Amino acid sequence: MSPVAVEAPASRIPEELTALKGVGPALARRLENLNVYSPLDLLFLLPLRYEDRTRLSRLGALAPGDRVVIEGEIELTDVVFRRRRSLLCRISDGTGLITLRFFYFSRKQQDSFGRGRRLRCFGEVRNGTDGLEMVHPEYRLISATQPPPLEQRLTPVYPSTEGLQQYRLRTLVGQALDRYLDKVPDLLPDDLRSELAAPGLREALEFVHRPPADADLAMLAAGCHPCQRRLAAEELRAHHLSLRRTREQTRAEAGIPLPVPKKLRADFLRRLSFSLTGDQQKVLRDIDGDLAQKHPMMRLLQGDVGCGKTVVAAAAALGAVAKGHQVAIMAPTELLAEQRRDSFGRWFKPLGINIAWLSGSLKKSARDLVYTAIADGEAQVIIGTHALFQQGLEYHRLALIIVDEQHRFGVGQRLSLREKGSADGEGPRPHQLVMTATPIPRTLAMIMYADLEVSVIRELPPGRQPVQTVALSDQRRGDIVARVRRACSEGHRAYWVCPLIEESDALQAQAAESTFEMLREALPGVSTGLIHGRMKAAMKESVMKAFAAGEHQVLVATTVIEVGVDVPEASLMIIENAERLGLSQLHQLRGRVGRGATQSTCVLLYHSPLSGLAKQRLAVLRETSDGFRVAQQDLRLRGPGEVLGTRQTGLMQLRVADLVRDADLAPLVQNAAGRMVGKNAGAGGPENASLLIARWLGQNSRYGSV
Ligand code: ADP
Ligand code: MG
């Protein structure tokens, strides 16, 4: 067998940025802010967008908003004091006029703008006080008889950082291209390269940094150019490989087998007021299978809101408890964690299992007690928020971590949690079960969750009727109040949700409060509760309990009730400002009703006029109650960063790839990845994988090391 083709190793490219001409330690440090640590990184610092400076625009043909190169002769230069002192310079080219406006300028600059001299500028055209103007254009004085040539290529615009100008970055990238491009190894295996039918790496890099003047700008802006796709495939593959590697490492680690004793499981199931659905049983078998192994489980449990993931998690936790180990259950919000505590309490206390509660709002004295109970093993099941993974908290024998509503935590937090899980010792690593109600299309899951096994619950518990969804203008609020009155008189309960209007807790609470007052007046004899994020946890809890117990018939709430809240008697849900919420969020909210046997209704109140996009969104909800379809549409309309929560955590931040646009690359990337990390990857395989991960994930390539 011939050895795998050895490509020029990256080591021929110097590691140090200072190897580049004009780069000293200070500039090198600035580049580090862009995650550029070496000349190779510069080649993979990809443009955000492009400007066309290859053409000269005539002044007579300009329109506001154009970003263009112009040229003209100076007619007039003047310093004016209207609202601010500014230098104005009027130029003309025989077809029209434009004013250049500078708020910051030097005497020297002013003097250089003499009448009759010629300027070439690049900037954005806008409407000014006296016709069109350009504010602080890039400019140079040029010779009228021998004007310098225009750019031959489109101009890339790079992500920038303070103290580092675009032209500087462009020059540096240019230098790196000239010197090192032909030394950059193409790390994709041949078969993937040919399946992609895309240009080679070097060609792709050259193109995205220096697109020819006739390149299709629209295509580039959309990220669909074959050269961009080539790079996107590499990037997706790097992420995928990195997560795969985590998975391989987990497989190789020691875990604690946690088989569930048959009798304990039977006792648990017997006490439930229902039997598990077929899907619940199936995923429980998956999980049981994992937990019986000698290496840690890493499983994602996906299932629509209300499908009954919690009870599956509880059934799975029994093995750990039976063996004298601890289980930690983490939920993203306090309210949700409280609900989990209540469910687990209901199910576990009769079995004599000891549950501990931990949240950020516990007083220090109370927290110390809980910490002690956790450290000495008295607490068997520990439920809470992020507080579960605070520093200083030591577990006695943590063997299983259950993360609820995973999508709220993002990729980064999920991975750091894994590190924390075993931070207390060299012992075996805990098993992990992560649960999410955000259904991720398979192609995306292949990449995002490559480190996890995936189980899906598609079936809802029997007897559930799909929630009827209507969209109404908020001018019909009066009719809706009447409807709530009717529902209450028939013994039903209703949620009235006042979601985010501004990015502020305070304003959100205010909106909820005024709705609360309005309803109290409009519904005499109906008991109405109010819950929002600014209330103390104890207060929220007592209101929630009163609603669950039927003491309140109407609950006015902010989006704090979004996930996991469970009151089967609630059959009417009104959502204000529905046009401003994302589809998945609306779907989650809607999932609070339709949990009992009564036909439930969800009213989406919107404020007219609706934008086209908002109309589409509301239509999706009216047409389907299938969370998978909702999520697909949400991805299409909003993009994955918003939907999956990767935007905030910034870890799966992609440079060229787009998880939706490039979803079709996922199968290719995944197949090739399998060959690469597998045993038969060939001599060059594993090294290539490491290089590829380092290239794209750079200093963030911690996926592989956790
Ligand atoms: P999820 O966490 O998946 O959104 P939950 O676990 O909160 O859903 O379950 C929603 C409700 O359905 C709970 O009241 C739960 O007790 C109930 N439930 C779960 N499984 C079943 C089942 N197989 N049959 C009937 N009700 C069930
Ligand atoms: Mg849930």
Side-chain angles (χ1 to χ4, degrees), residues 239-254:
H239 281 269
H240 179 76
L241 277 174
S242 162
L243 286 166
R244 282 279 304 245
R245 186 167 274 192
T246 308
R247 172 152 139 184
E248 306 283 315
Q249 280 168 3
T250 311
R251 283 227 178 105
E253 277 170 10

Side-chain angles (χ1 to χ4, degrees), residues 72-77 88-92 100 109-110 112-119 141:
E73 204 179 285
I74 296 175
E75 291 196 332
L76 190 75
T77 299
L88 300 184
C89 174
R90 199 168 72 206
I91 61 171
S92 80
L100 314 178
Q109 185 177 356
Q110 187 181 341
S112 71
F113 286 170
R115 192 182 153 85
R117 299 195 71 179
R118 207 166 166 78
L119 277 176
L141 288 157

Side-chain angles (χ1 to χ4, degrees), residues 503-538:
E503 284 293 325
S504 140
D505 256 9
L507 285 170
Q508 211 186 145
Q510 211 177 44
E513 263 159 26
S514 55
T515 303
F516 173 66
E517 291 305 329
M518 179 275 284
L519 285 174
R520 276 228 296 208
E521 264 178 43
L523 301 171
V526 171
S527 171
T528 302
L530 170 67
I531 187 168
H532 59 65
R534 292 206 129 197
M535 286 161 51
K536 289 237 162 68

Side-chain angles (χ1 to χ4, degrees), residues 59-122:
L59 296 183
L62 297 181
D66 290 350
R67 290 181 63 82
V68 285
V69 183
I70 53 170
E71 252 178 55
E73 204 179 285
I74 296 175
E75 291 196 332
L76 190 75
T77 299
D78 205 1
V79 175
V80 299
F81 297 84
R82 242 171 254 165
R83 268 183 311 168
R84 271 174 85 175
R85 180 167 175 269
S86 47
L87 174 68
L88 300 184
C89 174
R90 199 168 72 206
I91 61 171
S92 80
D93 68 352
T95 71
L97 297 169
I98 192 165
T99 304
L100 314 178
R101 182 185 291 274
F102 300 87
F103 297 115
Y104 309 98
F105 56 94
S106 63
R107 178 82 214 188
K108 190 161 148 250
Q109 185 177 356
Q110 187 181 341
D111 293 342
S112 71
F113 286 170
R115 192 182 153 85
R117 299 195 71 179
R118 207 166 166 78
L119 277 176
R120 180 181 288 172
C121 310
F122 176 82

Side-chain angles (χ1 to χ4, degrees), residues 284-297:
L284 191 54
R285 276 197 300 275
D286 290 347
I287 297 169
D288 281 345
D290 289 349
L291 290 175
Q293 306 288 317
K294 287 201 197 72
H295 54 77
M297 163 172 79

Side-chain angles (χ1 to χ4, degrees), residues 494-636:
Y495 291 103
W496 194 300
V497 182
C498 308
L500 208 68
I501 296 169
E502 307 277 337
E503 284 293 325
S504 140
D505 256 9
L507 285 170
Q508 211 186 145
Q510 211 177 44
E513 263 159 26
S514 55
T515 303
F516 173 66
E517 291 305 329
M518 179 275 284
L519 285 174
R520 276 228 296 208
E521 264 178 43
L523 301 171
V526 171
S527 171
T528 302
L530 170 67
I531 187 168
H532 59 65
R534 292 206 129 197
M535 286 161 51
K536 289 237 162 68
M539 186 67 188
K540 276 193 284 195
E541 190 182 337
S542 80
V543 174
M544 202 59 228
K545 278 211 174 111
F547 182 65
E551 287 157 32
H552 292 315
Q553 290 129 296
V554 177
L555 183 66
V556 178
T558 56
T559 43
V560 295
I561 63 148
E562 187 184 340
V563 269
V565 171
D566 189 25
V567 179
E569 294 83 0
S571 61
L572 182 56
M573 154 93 38
I574 291 107
I575 307 175
E576 299 244 21
N577 297 303
E579 78 279 8
R580 307 215 191 173
L581 294 183
L583 272 182
S584 295
Q585 207 181 5
L586 287 168
H587 180 69
Q588 296 266 357
L589 284 169
R590 177 171 65 175
R592 301 306 105 216
V593 293
R595 304 193 138 222
T598 334
Q599 167 67 58
S600 297
T601 305
C602 175
V603 181
L604 305 171
L605 282 184
Y606 60 83
H607 196 71
S608 307
L610 275 185
S611 72
L613 193 65
K615 269 192 198 130
Q616 280 185 49
R617 281 218 290 258
L618 298 186
V620 170
L621 284 168
R622 270 189 285 123
E623 281 154 20
T624 184
S625 54
D626 178 345
F628 279 81
R629 289 214 32 218
V630 171
Q632 209 113 33
Q633 294 302 318
D634 204 15
L635 280 169
R636 191 172 65 79

